[in-house]
């Protein structure tokens, strides 16, 4: 609690970046929005940095080469850290397929003393291809798409995430609850 110039008490919100990584159609965005709703209901300041929206507005023009993917992740990491440093819980459901890119984001957060949590939404590719929310797996199977993460482009799963969610073995609500429990354990919810 802090006191402002008029003597009113106000709560100082602790921000954090919660990065949800996983394959396309793993459930990252669905879990992020479920958790965001719960956190907002509890009075937290929350933003979801959706990977598709970021690609459209902040990273337009980038392709899917390793270098472009790294640049995209770095940009998202910069925005997430800026928001988190200002008391926002930032949920980032972005594939971020390369460990070194995710580690660079973690390093930026550490340098700024901003909390960063990595959550692996560990849904098997077989389940993701059945869900196929955006039709990417079908396009890849039909030969209309190449470079699909986890199929014909690499995905480096986190070795030691702060939390691993097996979304294919529980409901969206259960997955969001597990993530909420982590935030509570860390003093963030």
């Amino acid at each position: 609690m802090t006191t402002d110039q008029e003597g009113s008490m106000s709560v100082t919100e602790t921000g954090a970046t919660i990065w949800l990584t996983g394959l396309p159609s793993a459930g990252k965005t669905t879990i992020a929005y479920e958790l965001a709703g719960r956190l907002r209901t509890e009075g937290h300041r929350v933003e979801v940095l959706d990977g598709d929206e970021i690609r459209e507005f902040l990273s337009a023009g980038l392709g899917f080469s390793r270098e472009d993917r790294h640049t995209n992740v770095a940009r998202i990491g910069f925005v997430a850290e800026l928001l988190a440093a200002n008391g926002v819980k930032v949920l980032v459901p972005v594939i971020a397929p390369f460990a070194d890119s995710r580690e660079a984001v973690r390093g930026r957060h550490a340098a700024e003393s901003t909390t960063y949590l990595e959550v692996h939404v560990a849904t098997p590719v077989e389940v993701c291809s059945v869900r196929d929310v955006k039709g990417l797996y079908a396009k890849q199977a039909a030969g209309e798409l190449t470079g699909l993460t986890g199929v014909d482009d690499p995905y480096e799963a986190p070795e030691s995430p702060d939390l691993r969610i097996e979304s294919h073995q529980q409901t969206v609500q259960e997955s969001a609850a597990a993530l909420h429990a982590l935030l509570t354990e860390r003093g963030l919810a």
Side-chain angles (χ1 to χ4, degrees), residues 24-188:
S25 297
K28 302 176 300 297
T29 302
T30 305
I31 294 166
Y33 278 108
E34 179 72 23
L35 178 61
R38 180 172 178 179
L39 291 172
R40 285 187 184 110
T41 299
E42 295 172 354
H44 296 277
R45 296 170 53 208
V46 181
E47 287 296 333
V48 177
L49 298 182
D50 182 278
D52 293 333
E53 291 176 2
I54 296 292
R55 277 246 176 222
E56 182 178 350
F57 297 106
L58 186 63
S59 294
L62 288 180
F64 291 91
S65 67
R66 184 180 179 102
E67 182 178 313
D68 282 356
R69 288 175 188 253
H70 182 78
T71 298
N72 185 49
V73 168
R75 287 178 183 176
I76 296 167
F78 172 81
V79 172
E81 193 284 323
L82 185 65
L83 289 166
N86 285 283
V88 178
K89 305 287 188 294
V90 186
L91 305 176
V92 185
V94 173
I95 296 169
F98 300 109
D100 62 341
S101 296
R102 295 189 307 268
E103 196 53 40
V105 171
R106 180 187 297 279
R108 174 176 180 74
H109 280 70
E112 300 297 327
S113 300
T114 304
T115 300
Y116 175 89
L117 300 174
E118 184 176 70
V119 177
H120 181 207
V121 182
T123 309
V125 69
E126 300 79 23
V127 175
C128 295
S129 65
V130 170
R131 290 179 181 171
D132 204 9
V133 178
K134 300 172 195 159
L136 299 175
Y137 293 93
K139 287 180 183 176
Q140 191 275 337
E144 300 168 14
L145 175 73
T146 59
L148 181 59
T149 302
V151 177
D152 60 354
D153 212 39
Y155 175 74
E156 299 169 356
E159 292 182 18
S160 318
D162 295 281
L163 178 66
R164 192 174 316 276
I165 294 175
E166 307 279 345
S167 73
H168 58 293
Q169 296 179 351
Q170 59 192 25
T171 67
V172 171
Q173 293 75 20
E174 290 169 335
S175 295
L179 187 43
H180 189 275
L182 173 67
L183 296 180
T184 300
E185 174 187 302
R186 302 285 174 94
L188 297 167

